[in-house]
Amino acid sequence: MLNIIIFGAPGSGKGTQSERLIERYNLHHISTGELLRGHISAKTELGQLADSYISKGQLIPDGLMIDILGDTIDREPAVKERGVILDGFPRTIPQAEALKKLMEDRGMKIDAVVGLEVPEEELIERLIKRGEQSGRSDDNLETILKRLEVYQKQTYPLRDFYEKEGIYKAIDGLGTVDEIFDRICKSL
Ligand code: AMP
């Protein structure tokens, strides 16, 4: 059984590669972005709060995000039975530390962090293209640039965090979906 984090900047291909990995390894998928967008469409209280951050390209506060992740893991028996792929979490050092404890408390651990590495110019190009179709409130140029800045400052340091833990797998995120998927499978 595998527990994986798919890691990378916005537009690095986390969602696309997650779909492949779920199929190959029969994993349960948790995407915190998708979960929050579900709340926004359902117009829940959490959705309203989340939208006030997401539409500005900012991160939802750590305490709230950690509670949401803990609840999601506990509500879904498949996480323990089949293993999980976390997509969009953790995004900060406090989230990574909380995740470690959360997994330990449940007798689980993260086996690998698959880091999709893509140059910034390519990320911007991909996100602008996606914005033409996605209808996401955060896929416009201003918010894209903000999200990339937030990624560099708050999320990128996790690469070092997981390298020190010895579980970071650097993956060249340029190429076709199949080529990238092949690299990921080899690294696992
Ligand atoms: P994503 O679909 O992963 O790109 O997430 C979209 C947006 O949801 C992000 O830009 C954040 O505003 C919010 N979000 C998703 N996951 C997290 C997280 N782990 N911590 C804080 N904010 C998050």
Side-chain angles (χ1 to χ4, degrees), residues 10-11 14 31-34 36-37 50 53-55 57-62 65 87-92 95 130 136 138 147:
K14 299 192 294 292
S31 156
T32 44
E34 263 173 33
L36 296 168
R37 283 189 289 279
Y53 293 97
I54 292 178
S55 59
Q58 294 167 354
L59 297 183
I60 275 76
D62 284 336
M65 229 32 249
D87 167 0
F89 190 100
R91 262 184 157 94
T92 64
Q95 288 184 18
R130 185 173 83 184
R136 281 175 54 159
D138 57 354
R147 284 159 67 208

Side-chain angles (χ1 to χ4, degrees), residues 151-170:
Y151 172 79
Q152 273 306 325
K153 275 202 194 122
Q154 294 183 260
T155 309
Y156 185 73
L158 291 178
R159 185 188 194 279
D160 199 39
F161 179 95
Y162 286 116
E163 262 194 335
K164 284 194 183 121
E165 299 245 317
I167 56 173
Y168 185 80
K169 317 278 181 200

Side-chain angles (χ1 to χ4, degrees), residues 14-163:
K14 299 192 294 292
T16 308
Q17 295 299 331
S18 290
E19 282 173 27
R20 296 285 185 99
L21 285 161
I22 291 158
E23 225 177 90
R24 170 73 59 98
Y25 297 101
N26 189 32
L27 300 170
H28 181 74
H29 183 214
I30 299 179
S31 156
T32 44
E34 263 173 33
L35 201 146
L36 296 168
R37 283 189 289 279
H39 276 275
I40 294 174
S41 334
K43 298 195 163 43
T44 65
E45 215 172 296
L46 170 61
Q48 275 182 352
L49 179 68
D51 197 33
S52 67
Y53 293 97
I54 292 178
S55 59
K56 292 192 206 102
Q58 294 167 354
L59 297 183
I60 275 76
D62 284 336
L64 179 58
M65 229 32 249
I66 291 162
D67 285 348
I68 294 173
L69 189 86
D71 282 352
T72 310
I73 288 182
D74 289 338
R75 251 188 295 115
E76 201 42 79
V79 171
K80 255 193 143 168
E81 288 161 13
R82 300 196 336 236
V84 70
I85 179 158
L86 293 177
D87 167 0
F89 190 100
R91 262 184 157 94
T92 64
I93 297 282
Q95 288 184 18
E97 281 164 349
L99 176 66
K100 197 170 175 193
K101 166 119 192 8
L102 211 138
M103 298 293 274
E104 272 169 16
D105 289 349
R106 288 158 182 77
M108 298 161 72
K109 68 171 173 51
I110 297 294
D111 301 293
V113 178
V114 172
L116 297 173
E117 307 198 336
V118 177
E120 191 161 277
E121 315 81 69
E122 169 79 12
L123 293 170
I124 296 172
E125 209 172 291
R126 287 186 192 178
L127 287 165
I128 290 173
K129 226 180 250 169
R130 185 173 83 184
E132 288 163 7
Q133 295 155 1
S134 73
R136 281 175 54 159
S137 66
D138 57 354
D139 278 347
N140 58 76
L141 186 59
E142 190 189 343
T143 315
I144 288 168
L145 295 176
K146 178 71 192 167
R147 284 159 67 208
L148 290 172
E149 184 195 322
V150 166
Y151 172 79
Q152 273 306 325
K153 275 202 194 122
Q154 294 183 260
T155 309
Y156 185 73
L158 291 178
R159 185 188 194 279
D160 199 39
F161 179 95
Y162 286 116
E163 262 194 335

